[in-house]
């Protein structure tokens, strides 16, 4: 299964500035020669890649992206200013296609590519002066810019995988921290295929979270939906291990946590021979207790203490429904991802 982020936009390069028709007029030179300057060049549309961006969310903010036009030339042989280029910054690996679906450029290992050239600036009348015509009274108009509909495509690679029992609130969580709109319902196995969401961290960075169908005890033997979806999060840097803390399921939260980790271990055993396989059971996990809105303070602190004893670190405690502690959690998650990246 592929996760593709797609954005359709129209891009336009700037038109060139017109050349100028002008003649020198100085008090001692009543009939001066031509001095109309050239128009400036229109801006190009350039696409550049950045390692700090990993989705196309920002590009989606506009439908049309246009570079600036060149300024017209003026008298005294002044050239018009060139129009500013327009830069689209996208993640590495973005593919640009035209409206017919043909690839214009695949930005894998490519830092920048000029998608559209700006129009040339028109020549001013100075340019047309020659021995026959000493005083041309015409100039060239600027060249038109170009316009193109393009489709940007990016194969998303998840940074974080959310694991947990069915109904733990995985889809609710992803819907609260990203723009993803997965189906959420009060029964197990609501999610049948993985969902991806892009989580924004401040203005310049983001990361991708994958919500996969829930695991149950015996998943490695095919119970429930089985563990085939774990392959979608094999490449993630870390897991959010989401535990339903409410007890509404009738199961014990700590036992759920142990059972899921056991399934990861079994998955590893079954895949250890696979080329390039990264074991899942040793992947860093952020243990997150969800649905704390359904617990009393006392119940929660007992549960936290139990988890701290078992894992060595304090678990996060959130409510994906009320939003309690979500902001702090996203910040912390971002910090962990950066830390993993730097390793
Ligand atoms: N009280 C409470 N209910 C929650 C919370 N988060 C999720 N739920 C509810 O739990 C149920 C399951 O939520 P989902 O997000 O569909 O759970 P899931 O883990 O994606 O489930 P599957 O897709 O079946 O694996 C829904 O009825 C949610 O409204 C929470 O923080 N508090
Ligand atoms: Mg779900």
């Amino acid at each position: 299964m592929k996760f593709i982020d797609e954005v359709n936009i129209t891009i336009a390069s700037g038109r060139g500035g017109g050349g100028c028709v002008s003649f020198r007029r100085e008090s001692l030179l009543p009939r001066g020669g031509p001095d109309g300057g050239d128009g400036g060049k229109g801006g190009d549309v350039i696409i550049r890649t950045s390692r700090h961006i990993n989705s196309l969310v920002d590009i989606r903010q506009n439908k049309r992206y246009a570079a600036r036009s060149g300024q017209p030339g003026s008298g005294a042989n002044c050239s018009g200013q060139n129009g500013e280029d327009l830069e689209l910054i996208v993640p590495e690996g973005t593919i640009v296609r035209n409206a017919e679906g043909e690839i214009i450029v695949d930005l894998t290992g490519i830092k920048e590519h000029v998608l559209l050239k700006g129009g040339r600036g028109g020549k001013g009348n100075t340019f047309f002066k020659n021995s026959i015509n000493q005083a041309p009274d015409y100039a060239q108009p600027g060249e038109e810019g170009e316009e193109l509909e393009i489709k940007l495509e990016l194969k998303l690679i998840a940074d974080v995988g959310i694991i947990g029992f069915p109904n733990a609130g995985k889809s609710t969580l992803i819907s609260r921290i990203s723009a993803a709109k997965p189906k959420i319902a009060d029964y197990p196995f609501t999610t049948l295929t993985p969902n991806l969401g892009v989580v924004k961290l401040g203005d310049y960075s983001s990361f991708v979270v994958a919500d996969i169908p829930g695991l149950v005890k015996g998943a490695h033997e095919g119970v429930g939906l089985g563990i085939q979806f774990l392959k979608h999060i094999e490449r993630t840097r870390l897991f959010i291990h989401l535990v339903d803390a409410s007890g509404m399921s009738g199961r014990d939260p700590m036992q759920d946590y142990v059972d899921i980790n056991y399934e990861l271990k079994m998955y590893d055993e079954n895949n250890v021979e696979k080329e390039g396989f990264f074991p899942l059971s040793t992947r860093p996990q952020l243990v997150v207790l969800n649905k704390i809105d359904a617990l009393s303070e006392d119940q929660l602190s007992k549960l936290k203490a139990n988890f701290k004893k078992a894992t060595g670190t304090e678990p996060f405690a959130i409510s994906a429904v009320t939003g309690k502690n979500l902001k702090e959690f996203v910040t912390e998650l971002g910090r962990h991802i950066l830390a993993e990246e730097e390793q």
Side-chain angles (χ1 to χ4, degrees), residues 167 169-172 182-185 189-192 195 211-214:
N167 251 357
K170 301 179 295 299
S171 302
T172 309
K183 186 170 168 195
I184 294 167
F189 306 116
T190 308
T191 301
L192 298 173
N195 299 300
D211 160 34
I212 61 166

Side-chain angles (χ1 to χ4, degrees), residues 4 17 28 37 45 61 116 140 146 209 247 250:
I4 309 250
L28 296 174
V45 178
Q61 286 169 5
L116 291 180
Q140 197 180 29
E146 296 174 274
V209 178

